Amino acid sequence: MDESDLYRRWMRLVENLEREGIIKSERVKRAFLRVPRYKFVSDRYKEYAHVDEPLPIPAGQTISAPHMVAIMLELAELEDGMNVLEVGAGSGWNAALIYELVKREVYTIERVSDLVEFARKNLERAGYKDKVYVIWGDGTKGFPPNAPYDRIIVTAGAPKVPQPLIEQLKVGGKLLIPVGNYHLWQELLEVIKLDEENKIKIKNHGGVAFVPLIGEHGWRE
Ligand code: SAM
């Protein structure tokens, strides 16, 4: 299948997500159209990149389903110039989408070194080399050198909200994170930081299924 077929299928998926009310804003739609998922999966999965389901990436991990990514990006309410940290780089796809929504450098942390390489290669090929920085490390501890953040988006499921992530948010900033069980299921939480003392307000957006967030403030290996 050539690139124009892949892109046509991708456009159809984006239109469906919009029709279903999952993609709500022009901004998220534009980002999806600029960053097709097939650029972030191995060759053998490219022809399935428009299917609205997670797909395998190296190290037994997954690239999330397009509807899930769209839901989180709509909730994030990203604006130009926002400072965003992603935890769980995986393929690099979501970080590239975030870049398109903030138009400034994005930091994304990944704990599996093979995936750091995978994400960097995908991002470089897709034109995001100096736009998205993939850091190798434990994202449950955040990434203090670039804090405080307007938004932190966690793409793996945690047992609880990691305190360092709250500390590294700006007041008024927002953390999106799935919290719940190791495997199925978690609930997607929107955590708003209310003051410098790390007081928070939590809104629950319902059931989701993510791979586990493993680290000092997450699940144990
Ligand atoms: N956002 C990714 C994308 O666009 O392809 C998909 C992420 S995948 C669902 C979850 C990722 O979180 C996996 O790559 C996993 O290795 C990573 N992960 C799990 N625990 C982590 C941690 N403590 N710090 C950083 N990454 C972690």
Side-chain angles (χ1 to χ4, degrees), residues 57 61-64 69 86-95 109-112 115 137-140 155-156 210-215:
I57 57 174
Q61 301 299 312
T62 54
I63 184 170
S64 303
V69 172
E86 184 197 29
V87 176
S91 67
W93 179 47
N94 190 42
I109 307 197
E110 174 54 58
R111 69 177 276 275
V112 179
L115 286 173
D138 174 6
T140 67
T155 61
F210 278 83
V211 295
L213 181 75
I214 296 169

Side-chain angles (χ1 to χ4, degrees), residues 93-127:
W93 179 47
N94 190 42
L97 287 164
I98 293 169
Y99 175 84
E100 291 295 340
L101 288 159
V102 296
K103 296 287 186 206
R104 66 169 275 184
E105 78 283 359
V106 174
Y107 286 80
T108 179
I109 307 197
E110 174 54 58
R111 69 177 276 275
V112 179
S113 62
D114 284 357
L115 286 173
V116 171
E117 288 315 305
F118 184 68
R120 282 187 185 149
K121 277 207 190 92
N122 290 336
L123 286 161
E124 186 172 345
R125 268 197 299 258

Side-chain angles (χ1 to χ4, degrees), residues 38-210:
Y38 60 77
K39 293 194 175 173
F40 291 83
V41 296
S42 329
D43 285 347
R44 58 193 286 219
Y45 295 116
K46 285 195 189 304
E47 62 178 304
Y48 306 110
H50 67 288
V51 178
D52 194 10
E53 282 182 19
L55 287 174
I57 57 174
Q61 301 299 312
T62 54
I63 184 170
S64 303
H67 73 272
M68 195 65 250
V69 172
I71 287 170
M72 290 181 84
L73 291 179
E74 291 288 3
L75 286 173
E77 297 179 303
L78 297 173
E79 291 167 14
D80 286 4
M82 280 187 170
N83 187 22
V84 183
L85 175 70
E86 184 197 29
V87 176
S91 67
W93 179 47
N94 190 42
L97 287 164
I98 293 169
Y99 175 84
E100 291 295 340
L101 288 159
V102 296
K103 296 287 186 206
R104 66 169 275 184
E105 78 283 359
V106 174
Y107 286 80
T108 179
I109 307 197
E110 174 54 58
R111 69 177 276 275
V112 179
S113 62
D114 284 357
L115 286 173
V116 171
E117 288 315 305
F118 184 68
R120 282 187 185 149
K121 277 207 190 92
N122 290 336
L123 286 161
E124 186 172 345
R125 268 197 299 258
Y128 294 91
K129 184 173 166 39
D130 297 316
K131 297 173 174 169
V132 177
Y133 296 103
V134 186
I135 313 291
W136 183 28
D138 174 6
T140 67
K141 297 194 271 191
F143 185 57
N146 206 43
Y149 298 98
D150 295 288
R151 301 286 185 264
I152 299 177
I153 299 178
V154 181
T155 61
K160 61 182 184 339
V161 180
Q163 189 62 19
L165 299 188
I166 297 171
E167 286 163 9
Q168 288 170 42
L169 271 184
K170 290 181 188 172
V171 172
K174 191 192 281 191
L175 162 66
L176 289 168
I177 181 167
V179 173
N181 296 322
Y182 186 87
H183 283 302
L184 308 174
W185 305 85
Q186 306 94 29
E187 315 218 279
L188 179 57
L189 302 187
E190 178 183 344
V191 180
I192 312 266
K193 176 160 162 172
L194 296 175
D195 62 23
E196 291 290 358
E197 274 66 59
N198 297 308
K199 196 165 162 224
I200 53 170
K201 181 175 85 184
I202 296 183
K203 201 164 159 191
N204 187 333
H205 292 282
V208 291
F210 278 83

